[in-house]
Amino acid sequence: MSASTRSVSAPVTAGKLSGKVALVTGGSRGIGRAVAERLARDGAVVAVNYATNETAAREVVAAIRADGGTAFPVRAELGPAGDGGARDLWTAFDSGLAEHVPQAAPGLDILVNNAAVATSSSLYELSPGEFDTVFGVNVKAPFFIVKEGLDRLRDGGRIVNISSGVVRIALPEIMTYSATKGALDVFTRHLAKELGPRGITVNSVVPGIVDTDTNAAWLRTDPEKRAWAAAFSAFDRVGEPDEIADVVAFAASDDARWVTGAVLDATGGSGL
Ligand code: NAP
């Protein structure tokens, strides 16, 4: 039986996403954490994927439960080998949902492809292995997560891919990472057309520079670099994870039912 024919009977929390089930890759820290918490506040059951930091994932799940929501952790390390870790992710998702939310029908309504890794190796330094890792986590994994997840994703569902403002600002020192996000945006556009007949929307949400662990080493320690980062935005400040999560929540909601194949700019007006 395909997921589209099943009814959802997940626990109901009042909110726009009541009765929905969501999976957020890399949901244990940074933007992913904010997205997981926001979708849970909106009433969705949230599967919080992480790679290695189980403590962080458990913290997010505990915070969501303390707030009256429903969440469970899903360990799966995404990467370049095989199908990018997609089947491991879905196996862990299926068993986590059955174990933690037994009253919910199998399958899901909202997939947020958020997990990514960056590299600052220049064109001259980058090794083939590093290239494969960055493209593996950031492009191959989302592609196969979607491919392997299509029979789980219900009709009328949502896919949100987390891109980056670097697709339209040339920063040669991170060109490999930027190229992965360009590929993700192209995937978004084509996938939106492919899945339109099922009423599934596919959109990219594009953060600018956001204060997360990824940037912590320089953003939280060097005032000059923070000022440089802030100056990209029309608001002259760095973004916060919840400011991206709010845009993802819109894309995941019924309010965005007529929006697909779009690149939703959440860069705080970077590079205007
Ligand atoms: P972050 O704080 O570094 O968090 C990364 C998350 O992804 C963690 O939950 C981590 O889990 C998980 N993760 C990392 N590698 C993984 C793997 N191989 N398999 C599964 N999960 C993995 O990242 P962030 O800054 O919030 O970035 C989130 C998204 O926003 C990314 O797509 C990033 O490219 C995009 N973005 C960020 C910024 C920014 O300024 N922060 C700007 C533009 C776009 P573990 O802790 O278990 O490793």
Side-chain angles (χ1 to χ4, degrees):
M1 182 166 58
S2 93
S4 62
T5 61
R6 300 182 198 115
S7 64
V8 194
S9 55
V12 175
T13 308
K16 283 184 172 183
L17 299 180
S18 292
K20 307 287 186 193
V21 176
L23 167 63
V24 183
T25 68
S28 57
R29 293 188 289 114
I31 292 168
R33 175 179 183 151
V35 170
E37 292 182 344
R38 171 65 205 264
L39 298 183
R41 271 201 307 281
D42 285 355
V45 168
V46 181
V48 178
N49 162 247
Y50 67 100
T52 53
N53 190 338
E54 186 180 349
T55 306
R58 292 204 174 277
E59 258 180 47
V60 178
V61 168
I64 288 173
R65 289 178 181 165
D67 204 28
T70 307
F72 59 95
V74 172
R75 202 199 93 72
E77 188 159 356
L78 308 172
D83 66 0
R87 257 167 285 187
D88 288 349
L89 175 76
W90 286 121
T91 301
F93 169 84
D94 292 343
S95 59
L97 187 66
E99 179 190 341
H100 295 282
V101 200
Q103 66 276 41
L108 82 165
D109 306 278
I110 300 160
L111 168 64
V112 182
N113 282 311
N114 165 78
V117 290
T119 173
S120 53
S121 294
S122 73
L123 174 66
Y124 311 101
E125 297 160 342
L126 190 82
S127 69
E130 203 175 349
F131 180 96
D132 287 346
T133 297
V134 179
F135 268 82
V137 177
N138 300 8
V139 182
K140 186 178 192 180
F143 188 98
F144 284 97
I145 289 168
V146 169
K147 179 172 186 270
E148 298 294 335
L150 279 179
D151 62 343
R152 293 172 176 82
L153 191 62
R154 283 181 270 276
D155 289 359
R158 300 280 184 266
I159 297 175
V160 183
N161 295 322
I162 305 300
S163 177
S164 170
V166 294
V167 295
R168 59 175 173 79
I169 298 171
L171 294 169
E173 56 274 26
I174 53 167
M175 67 166 69
T176 310
Y177 167 78
S178 306
T180 68
K181 296 302 187 178
L184 200 60
D185 285 351
V186 172
F187 183 43
T188 290
R189 172 173 285 268
H190 290 256
L191 193 59
K193 185 140 184 170
E194 180 70 29
L195 300 183
R198 289 184 54 193
I200 296 170
T201 70
V202 187
N203 293 293
S204 284
V205 168
V206 180
I209 300 174
V210 179
D211 190 343
T212 68
D213 295 347
T214 305
N215 305 319
W218 57 274
L219 195 60
R220 295 178 193 161
T221 57
D222 186 332
E224 270 182 34
K225 285 190 178 154
R226 191 171 184 102
W228 169 84
F232 278 104
S233 162
F235 304 122
D236 196 27
R237 67 173 176 81
V238 168
E240 294 297 331
D242 64 312
E243 293 173 313
I244 311 307
D246 290 349
V247 181
V248 174
F250 164 70
S253 75
D254 189 55
D255 291 344
R257 64 195 171 280
W258 199 238
V259 179
T260 196
V263 173
L264 302 176
D265 188 292
T267 66
S270 288
L272 291 178

